[in-house]
Amino acid sequence: MNVSLEAIQKARETLAGVVCRTELAYTNTLSDMTGNRIYLKLENQQRTGSFKLRGAYNKIANLSADERKMGIIASSAGNHAQGTALGGTLFGIPTTIVMPKNAPLSKVKATRAYGAQVVLHGSVYDEAYAEACRLQAEKQLTFIHPFNDPMVIAGQGTIALEILEDLPDVEAVVVPIGGGGLIAGIAAAIKQLKPGIKVIGVQTKNMPSMAEAVANKRIVTCNGCPTIADGIAVKTPGELTFALVQRYVDDIVTVDEEEIASTILLMMERIKTISEGAGAAAVAAVLNRLEVFENRKIAAIVSGGNIDVNMMSRIINKGLAKSGRKAVFHIVIPDKPGSLWQLLKLTADTGANVLTVTHDRETGGVALGNAAVQLELETADQDHMHAIKEIMEQHQYCVKIV
């Protein structure tokens, strides 16, 4: 089964006045880093914080009166949940969403705020999906699939129409893949309008289900590992999306967790935009996997920005530590008046900012008459961090950086 260009164009008419036409923003930072001209399609600025509203609303808008009357149900790791919840509310339809138990709390709260009843079940999307199917059969509800549905795919494909209007000479479009609905819609639109444009899919190495399916030329279930890109952590691609990916997508690459996390931090610091793990995947691929492209116009889809603040905090702290901008120093000093003050004065003279101080004279491994001090410091970079250590050692301190 194909998704026609006409269906995608009709979806655009349906979505008019409901979804935002998101910005396609040129980024000097990524362009300078890659040697290409990089544009970001900022679906993290979409209503509900992701592209998912496009597909969910288009599907709901095309339901029959009887299907709407029955009520709707969906399964989601978070973004389809919010899109379906808002779509259901806009049409006055009772909505149930099944989400994994470990779904980000921010996404659960937002889904409820959009008017849906939330059921938490399972540890990954596929388990939530199975429970949603059970409830759908039990209560005779109408199922709104997150990706394996032609109306949903057509809705997502409207992103491609906007990209082609804003950047007609785009040469490659990079798209994250979970179940495949987003890339299926985008690729179907692009290849039917301008088949010479390359469409590159991106998955996390921890859950490369579509990549494995394409490699095996059949749908496979990928058990995978947990990932910070929860929005694309789908074990089994859809039959329709797999067929469209096989037909229209030029290549699929994978990125690792470290690359995704560092990209989230880079986008926050340098591009001034917030992205969740799935939303950063395409940009991570642009930075790390597209060496074959040089001086090309490339559009990358930032598919969503619904990142949990606790996850964001961990990513920031880890990124600061990796870049040498935050470090923990373990130091042994004499246990006598003025010793800690002298250490702190020396630290201040290096230009480091002290975040926390822990002083312990009873810790194991420290000789009687000494004390252990742990300093959490804000530093400029790795060179600054190691320079501080050298200065401390020159002043006869025993220092270890952890």
Side-chain angles (χ1 to χ4, degrees):
M1 181 179 180
N2 192 21
V3 173
S4 69
L5 180 60
E6 291 73 23
I8 297 170
Q9 291 168 334
K10 183 180 178 183
R12 185 176 190 180
E13 295 174 6
T14 301
L15 297 176
V18 177
V19 305
C20 304
R21 183 192 179 103
T22 54
E23 183 181 5
L24 184 66
Y26 178 76
T27 161
N28 286 302
T29 297
L30 297 180
S31 298
D32 292 343
M33 292 174 71
T34 63
N36 290 291
R37 286 161 288 173
I38 308 300
Y39 297 76
L40 301 182
K41 182 61 171 171
L42 297 174
E43 283 294 296
N44 57 334
Q45 297 178 359
Q46 185 57 259
R47 289 181 72 178
T48 73
S50 89
F51 73 96
K52 286 287 191 176
L53 176 62
R54 295 176 184 260
Y57 188 90
N58 190 52
K59 173 64 176 180
I60 294 168
N62 283 279
L63 294 177
S64 68
D66 288 341
E67 288 173 323
R68 294 181 189 178
K69 185 177 180 181
M70 292 163 63
I72 59 177
I73 188 169
S75 56
S76 171
N79 288 338
H80 180 64
Q82 294 172 71
T84 303
L86 177 57
T89 296
L90 291 174
F91 280 98
I93 304 171
T95 304
T96 301
I97 308 291
V98 184
M99 304 177 72
K101 291 180 180 178
N102 60 356
L105 182 60
S106 59
K107 293 184 179 181
V108 175
K109 291 177 67 176
T111 302
R112 288 179 173 141
Y114 284 123
Q117 176 190 354
V118 175
V119 176
L120 298 177
H121 181 89
S123 58
V124 295
Y125 163 76
D126 298 78
E127 293 171 1
Y129 170 70
E131 176 65 8
C133 290
R134 187 190 69 78
L135 290 173
Q136 185 270 332
E138 177 185 300
K139 299 184 178 183
Q140 295 298 297
L141 303 171
T142 300
F143 197 88
I144 308 298
H145 200 283
F147 50 85
N148 200 46
D149 182 285
M151 290 295 177
V152 171
I153 293 169
Q156 322 303 24
T158 58
I159 293 173
L161 302 182
E162 294 175 12
I163 292 173
L164 292 176
E165 288 175 355
D166 291 341
L167 192 65
D169 55 348
V170 64
E171 295 168 273
V173 179
V174 187
V175 189
I177 302 177
L182 176 61
I183 196 168
I186 288 175
I190 286 175
K191 293 299 185 178
Q192 291 178 75
L193 283 168
K194 293 189 175 181
I197 297 172
K198 299 293 184 183
V199 179
I200 311 296
V202 184
Q203 292 202 287
T204 166
K205 286 183 178 179
N206 283 17
M207 193 69 74
S209 53
M210 186 67 82
E212 290 188 0
V214 170
N216 287 278
K217 298 183 179 179
R218 62 182 179 85
I219 294 175
V220 296
T221 296
C222 172
N223 289 322
C225 305
T227 172
I228 61 173
D230 58 282
I232 52 174
V234 177
K235 289 185 174 183
T236 309
E239 293 180 6
L240 177 54
T241 56
F242 172 64
L244 290 168
V245 166
Q246 276 194 310
R247 181 173 183 177
Y248 291 127
V249 174
D250 295 286
D251 193 16
I252 299 176
V253 299
T254 59
V255 290
D256 62 35
E257 298 298 288
E258 190 71 28
E259 290 165 338
I260 295 171
S262 63
T263 300
I264 292 172
L265 185 59
L266 173 71
M267 293 174 70
M268 194 184 311
E269 278 200 301
R270 300 291 301 279
I271 305 174
K272 315 306 179 187
T273 191
I274 302 298
S275 173
E276 60 189 271
V283 180
V286 166
L287 289 169
N288 298 285
R289 296 292 181 276
L290 301 188
E291 299 89 352
V292 296
F293 292 105
E294 184 176 350
N295 197 28
R296 301 287 188 89
K297 285 189 176 181
I298 300 173
I301 313 298
V302 182
S303 58
N306 294 318
I307 187 169
D308 182 77
V309 291
N310 292 315
M311 174 62 72
M312 187 188 300
S313 176
R314 289 194 289 271
I315 289 170
I316 291 171
N317 286 324
K318 185 175 180 180
L320 291 175
K322 182 181 177 183
S323 63
R325 288 179 291 165
K326 182 183 284 189
V328 177
F329 286 66
H330 284 275
I331 308 153
V332 177
I333 65 172
D335 185 16
K336 61 182 183 181
S339 294
L340 180 58
W341 177 85
Q342 289 176 346
L343 173 64
L344 293 175
K345 183 178 184 306
L346 177 63
T347 303
D349 290 342
T350 69
N353 185 35
V354 178
L355 300 176
T356 63
V357 180
T358 303
H359 182 273
D360 186 358
R361 60 172 54 87
E362 298 174 358
T363 187
V366 176
L368 193 65
N370 289 331
V373 176
Q374 178 176 292
L375 297 181
E376 184 181 13
L377 302 180
E378 189 176 58
T379 52
D381 51 30
Q382 292 277 356
D383 290 341
H384 187 205
M385 181 180 72
H386 291 297
I388 294 168
K389 182 175 184 289
E390 288 180 12
I391 291 170
M392 288 180 174
E393 289 172 340
Q394 289 168 8
H395 284 75
Q396 310 307 312
Y397 289 109
C398 179
V399 185
K400 182 187 296 185
I401 302 176
V402 296

